Amino acid sequence: MTTAKKRRGFSDKDLREVSDSPELTKADFAKAKPFAEVFPDLSASIRRGRGPNKAPTKKQVSLRLSPEVIRHFKKGGKGWQSRIDETLRKVVRRKAS
Protein backbone atom coordinates (compact mmCIF):
# COMPACT_ATOMS: atom_id res chain seq x y z
CA MET A 1 0.00 0.00 0.00
CA THR A 2 2.96 2.31 -0.40
CA THR A 3 1.47 4.13 -3.42
CA ALA A 4 -1.83 4.70 -1.61
CA LYS A 5 0.03 5.91 1.44
CA LYS A 6 1.92 8.46 -0.62
CA ARG A 7 -1.16 9.51 -2.54
CA ARG A 8 -3.67 9.77 0.30
CA GLY A 9 -1.43 10.57 3.23
CA PHE A 10 -2.56 7.76 5.56
CA SER A 11 -1.51 4.18 6.19
CA ASP A 12 -3.31 0.83 6.50
CA LYS A 13 -3.10 1.22 10.27
CA ASP A 14 -4.81 4.61 10.04
CA LEU A 15 -7.61 3.09 7.96
CA ARG A 16 -8.13 0.25 10.43
CA GLU A 17 -8.34 2.68 13.35
CA VAL A 18 -11.09 4.80 11.79
CA SER A 19 -13.03 2.05 10.03
CA ASP A 20 -15.87 0.69 12.15
CA SER A 21 -17.88 -0.69 9.23
CA PRO A 22 -18.06 -4.47 9.11
CA GLU A 23 -16.93 -6.19 5.95
CA LEU A 24 -19.86 -6.90 3.64
CA THR A 25 -20.73 -10.52 2.92
CA LYS A 26 -22.36 -12.15 -0.11
CA ALA A 27 -25.62 -12.20 1.87
CA ASP A 28 -25.35 -8.42 2.38
CA PHE A 29 -24.88 -7.88 -1.34
CA ALA A 30 -27.83 -10.20 -2.09
CA LYS A 31 -30.08 -7.99 0.09
CA ALA A 32 -28.84 -4.76 -1.49
CA LYS A 33 -31.32 -2.66 -3.47
CA PRO A 34 -30.65 -0.11 -6.22
CA PHE A 35 -30.24 3.50 -5.11
CA ALA A 36 -33.25 4.62 -7.19
CA GLU A 37 -35.44 2.05 -5.45
CA VAL A 38 -34.38 3.08 -1.95
CA PHE A 39 -34.40 6.86 -2.57
CA PRO A 40 -36.71 7.46 -5.57
CA ASP A 41 -37.19 11.21 -5.00
CA LEU A 42 -33.51 11.89 -4.53
CA SER A 43 -32.65 9.72 -7.53
CA ALA A 44 -35.14 11.61 -9.72
CA SER A 45 -33.74 14.98 -8.65
CA ILE A 46 -30.19 13.92 -9.43
CA ARG A 47 -31.03 12.54 -12.86
CA ARG A 48 -33.12 15.49 -13.85
CA GLY A 49 -30.08 17.29 -15.21
CA ARG A 50 -30.22 20.35 -17.36
CA GLY A 51 -33.01 19.34 -19.71
CA PRO A 52 -33.64 20.40 -23.29
CA ASN A 53 -33.23 23.99 -24.46
CA LYS A 54 -36.58 25.75 -24.80
CA ALA A 55 -35.31 27.74 -27.76
CA PRO A 56 -32.04 26.22 -28.95
CA THR A 57 -29.76 28.83 -30.46
CA LYS A 58 -27.24 26.35 -31.84
CA LYS A 59 -27.36 23.04 -33.71
CA GLN A 60 -25.21 20.08 -32.79
CA VAL A 61 -23.05 18.79 -35.65
CA SER A 62 -20.14 16.46 -36.12
CA LEU A 63 -17.20 18.21 -37.72
CA ARG A 64 -13.70 17.02 -38.58
CA LEU A 65 -11.00 19.64 -38.11
CA SER A 66 -7.29 19.49 -38.76
CA PRO A 67 -5.06 18.90 -35.72
CA GLU A 68 -3.39 22.28 -36.21
CA VAL A 69 -6.76 24.10 -35.99
CA ILE A 70 -7.72 22.19 -32.83
CA ARG A 71 -4.29 22.85 -31.25
CA HIS A 72 -4.58 26.56 -32.04
CA PHE A 73 -7.96 26.95 -30.37
CA LYS A 74 -7.28 24.58 -27.45
CA LYS A 75 -4.14 26.46 -26.42
CA GLY A 76 -6.48 29.30 -25.41
CA GLY A 77 -8.00 27.06 -22.73
CA LYS A 78 -11.62 26.34 -21.94
CA GLY A 79 -14.23 27.52 -24.39
CA TRP A 80 -12.26 26.54 -27.49
CA GLN A 81 -15.39 25.28 -29.27
CA SER A 82 -17.11 28.62 -28.67
CA ARG A 83 -14.06 30.44 -30.04
CA ILE A 84 -14.23 28.33 -33.21
CA ASP A 85 -17.93 29.21 -33.49
CA GLU A 86 -17.21 32.93 -33.03
CA THR A 87 -14.45 32.84 -35.65
CA LEU A 88 -16.73 31.13 -38.17
CA ARG A 89 -19.55 33.62 -37.47
CA LYS A 90 -17.15 36.51 -38.16
CA VAL A 91 -16.22 34.97 -41.51
CA VAL A 92 -19.88 34.46 -42.39
CA ARG A 93 -20.74 38.09 -41.51
CA ARG A 94 -17.75 39.39 -43.48
CA LYS A 95 -18.78 37.40 -46.58
CA ALA A 96 -22.42 38.47 -46.22
CA SER A 97 -21.56 42.17 -46.32
Side-chain angles (χ1 to χ4, degrees), residues 64-76 80 84:
R64 292 180 184 268
L65 300 171
S66 69
E68 106 183 278
V69 169
I70 294 171
R71 263 194 313 275
H72 171 78
F73 283 96
K74 276 190 169 183
K75 75 179 174 189
W80 63 274
I84 291 173

Side-chain angles (χ1 to χ4, degrees), residues 36-89:
E37 189 179 313
V38 179
F39 302 104
D41 295 336
L42 181 58
S43 176
S45 70
I46 292 171
R47 294 186 184 187
R48 207 172 294 144
R50 187 172 162 181
N53 289 334
K54 290 189 171 119
T57 56
K58 296 180 180 180
K59 302 255 185 209
Q60 184 174 354
V61 297
S62 176
L63 179 65
R64 292 180 184 268
L65 300 171
S66 69
E68 106 183 278
V69 169
I70 294 171
R71 263 194 313 275
H72 171 78
F73 283 96
K74 276 190 169 183
K75 75 179 174 189
K78 288 184 175 182
W80 63 274
Q81 295 102 328
S82 296
R83 287 193 297 279
I84 291 173
D85 181 57
E86 177 61 30
T87 302
L88 292 171
R89 279 190 280 143

Side-chain angles (χ1 to χ4, degrees), residues 20-48:
D20 57 356
S21 299
E23 192 159 330
L24 297 175
T25 65
K26 287 183 180 183
D28 293 325
F29 283 107
K31 290 188 287 185
K33 295 180 181 176
F35 179 81
E37 189 179 313
V38 179
F39 302 104
D41 295 336
L42 181 58
S43 176
S45 70
I46 292 171
R47 294 186 184 187
R48 207 172 294 144

